[in-house]
Amino acid sequence: GFIALLTVFATLAETWSPERRARAFVIASVVFNLGLLGIFKYFNFFADSFADFAGMFGWDPGFVTLNVILPVGISFYTFQTMSYTLDIHRRQMEPTTDFIRFAAFVGFFPQLVAGPIERARHLLPQFAVPRAITLDNLQAGAMLFLWGFYKKVVIADNLAPISDRVFSDPANAGPGEIFVGVLAFTFQIYCDFSGYSDMARGTARMLGFDLMLNFNMPYFARTPSEFWSRWHISLSTWLRDYLYIPLGGNRLSPLLTYRNLMLTMLLGGLWHGAAWTFVAWGLFHGLILVLYRLAGADAALARVPASGPAGIALHGAAMALMFLLAMLSWIFFRAGDFTDAWTMLAGFWTIAPTWSLGRVLFLIAPLVIIEIATRFSGRIQPWTGTPLVLRVNLVLFLVYASLFLGSTEGQNFIYFDF
């Protein structure tokens, strides 16, 4: 059936103009890619949701769900290959005639499973250049890998049992434990995902490849738009370039701009997983993007220099508020269902000194100190431009911390599920 449909489509395409034919093949490519993603990742979700809705009216549609295994990294390489097709259609790059080179771009192992979602115009040309293993690349790549490894095994994996215990049974959490669980997950997901990205970038660098920066200290963001320019940058820029801007971006009326923001974040939430809690997470971020835009927060902060007591207090308060909003959003991202999410939202505001809080603060303290120093020095990486003695001490700290403080219970990468 599929072959017959493809034959009919190709036959019809021969009678069309080149522009119409090109547009038709692009649409077919996008539909095919999203169709595969939809079948593997979302078919059961929508089938179950429809069955539950129909059951409210006493109707049993008798749907059967698909017993299939989700291909590893399908959300990442689907978006990656779609960007190749769309960039060629937009004449932003020339197509490659080397299938091996294209396959290497799609299946590049360091970032295949959980990103960054590379653009073809950035990564594909690198396969056309002879690779050279250099001492500079080995040093830079090893530092990136070690930094990501530390964030994963020392911070994320040690925080996982704390957050798992609270999120698995929030109804029986003690005073202050919900806040601690959410705080633990806030840093767990950041260190887990950015740790993977750093290790992927470090591995690629050692092989002579350059992958895009995927995280840039997002918890120092002052507004939602700044947060999304620092968090999962490869996804946020993909959604901006291939969804938000084609919808009209901010070039239309304010009402349509708000619609575009909400729709982009809703689909961004759904990209993360087939659950209504992910949709709620996306809508939450869409809502705060709209509210901040209505308030003109980005422009207002830009008018006040981050210097002097008043400026420092204003920008610091904006960072604290944005961090709080990010924490609240992670409740929907991590909660098993809405019942658990409402329970956690209700209990979040109780803060009490507990042993778990002390452990969380102990684990995140080095990261916070290093990132504060990095953020206010204007550097991207903690070791960039620092004296040799500081770099050596940082390496020793990361190695010994990973050896003696690393979790003995392996934890899967969170974004392996997406």
Side-chain angles (χ1 to χ4, degrees), residues 12-24:
L12 289 174
E14 289 296 325
T15 65
W16 298 336
S17 66
E19 293 79 9
R20 185 182 179 188
R21 189 184 309 130
R23 190 179 307 111

Side-chain angles (χ1 to χ4, degrees), residues 6-85:
L6 185 62
T7 303
V8 172
F9 176 78
T11 303
L12 289 174
E14 289 296 325
T15 65
W16 298 336
S17 66
E19 293 79 9
R20 185 182 179 188
R21 189 184 309 130
R23 190 179 307 111
F25 276 109
V26 168
I27 293 173
S29 174
V30 170
V31 169
F32 178 76
N33 276 283
L34 293 181
L36 282 179
L37 185 62
I39 290 172
F40 279 106
K41 192 170 181 178
Y42 301 107
F43 180 86
N44 289 350
F45 166 63
F46 284 114
D48 288 338
S49 297
F50 181 79
D52 291 341
F53 178 76
M56 296 170 58
F57 301 94
W59 176 42
D60 181 9
F63 283 157
V64 294
T65 54
L66 300 177
N67 186 21
V68 295
I69 298 175
L70 182 68
V72 175
I74 187 172
S75 296
F76 290 88
Y77 58 73
T78 297
F79 273 28
Q80 192 157 297
T81 52
M82 285 174 61
S83 74
Y84 171 79
T85 304

Side-chain angles (χ1 to χ4, degrees), residues 355-391:
W355 178 88
S356 295
L357 178 59
R359 181 167 175 77
V360 171
L361 295 178
F362 170 77
L363 289 169
I364 68 175
L367 173 74
V368 172
I369 293 170
I370 290 172
E371 289 210 342
I372 286 176
T374 305
R375 172 72 172 84
F376 292 102
S377 66
R379 298 191 296 265
I380 297 296
Q381 304 293 351
W383 54 87
T384 305
T386 56
L388 177 61
V389 64
L390 290 180
R391 294 200 300 274

Side-chain angles (χ1 to χ4, degrees), residues 41-358:
K41 192 170 181 178
Y42 301 107
F43 180 86
N44 289 350
F45 166 63
F46 284 114
D48 288 338
S49 297
F50 181 79
D52 291 341
F53 178 76
M56 296 170 58
F57 301 94
W59 176 42
D60 181 9
F63 283 157
V64 294
T65 54
L66 300 177
N67 186 21
V68 295
I69 298 175
L70 182 68
V72 175
I74 187 172
S75 296
F76 290 88
Y77 58 73
T78 297
F79 273 28
Q80 192 157 297
T81 52
M82 285 174 61
S83 74
Y84 171 79
T85 304
L86 294 170
D87 284 350
I88 290 173
H89 180 65
R90 295 174 172 182
R91 294 181 171 82
Q92 294 177 338
M93 66 172 292
E94 293 295 325
T96 181
T97 57
D98 189 329
F99 177 76
I100 300 300
R101 192 177 299 164
F102 175 77
F105 154 69
V106 176
F108 190 47
F109 77 91
Q111 46 82 233
L112 174 66
V113 178
I117 305 171
E118 278 293 338
R119 305 294 180 88
R121 60 179 183 267
H122 175 242
L123 182 57
L124 189 55
Q126 298 183 48
F127 289 97
V129 181
R131 303 266 59 84
I133 306 299
T134 66
L135 181 60
D136 287 344
N137 281 338
L138 287 174
Q139 290 177 337
M143 279 298 299
L144 261 176
F145 188 94
L146 182 59
W147 178 235
F149 186 77
Y150 164 79
K151 287 194 286 186
K152 168 60 177 171
V153 302
V154 176
I155 303 178
D157 286 0
N158 279 308
L159 291 174
I162 300 173
S163 63
D164 288 347
R165 184 174 63 251
V166 174
F167 276 93
S168 63
D169 189 15
N172 293 316
E177 288 187 352
I178 288 180
F179 175 85
V180 173
V182 176
L183 180 65
F185 183 73
T186 298
F187 281 93
Q188 177 198 352
I189 191 170
Y190 169 54
C191 292
D192 190 283
F193 193 18
S194 70
Y196 178 93
S197 296
D198 287 340
M199 285 188 278
R201 294 179 63 231
T203 302
R205 178 69 64 85
M206 286 187 279
L207 296 174
F209 291 88
D210 174 56
L211 298 182
M212 70 177 295
L213 181 70
N214 208 21
F215 289 86
N216 185 14
M217 293 172 283
Y219 292 148
F220 288 98
R222 296 160 296 179
T223 65
S225 59
E226 186 181 351
F227 177 84
W228 284 104
S229 71
R230 294 174 174 273
W231 178 276
H232 202 348
I233 300 169
S234 63
L235 175 65
S236 61
T237 54
W238 198 101
L239 292 172
R240 179 198 66 197
D241 294 344
Y242 301 112
L243 181 60
Y244 178 70
I245 292 177
L247 284 172
N250 56 5
R251 303 186 306 274
L252 306 175
S253 66
L255 187 61
L256 290 178
T257 297
Y258 304 147
R259 179 209 65 181
N260 296 340
L261 285 170
M262 293 295 294
L263 183 59
T264 300
M265 294 312 302
L266 183 152
L267 293 177
L270 191 59
W271 175 90
H272 282 82
W276 290 111
T277 48
F278 288 118
V279 174
W281 175 77
L283 289 175
F284 179 91
H285 274 281
L287 179 61
I288 60 176
L289 277 166
V290 169
L291 293 176
Y292 269 73
R293 182 177 284 269
L294 280 169
D298 289 273
L301 286 169
R303 290 193 295 266
V304 181
S307 59
I312 292 174
L314 176 62
H315 287 264
M319 286 182 188
L321 177 58
M322 188 60 230
F323 180 73
L324 174 64
L325 292 172
M327 286 183 67
L328 294 173
S329 75
W330 291 129
I331 292 177
F332 293 100
F333 190 96
R334 177 64 177 81
D337 53 43
F338 284 115
T339 300
D340 287 350
W342 304 135
T343 300
M344 298 199 70
L345 282 173
F348 173 81
W349 309 100
T350 301
I351 303 175
T354 62
W355 178 88
S356 295
L357 178 59

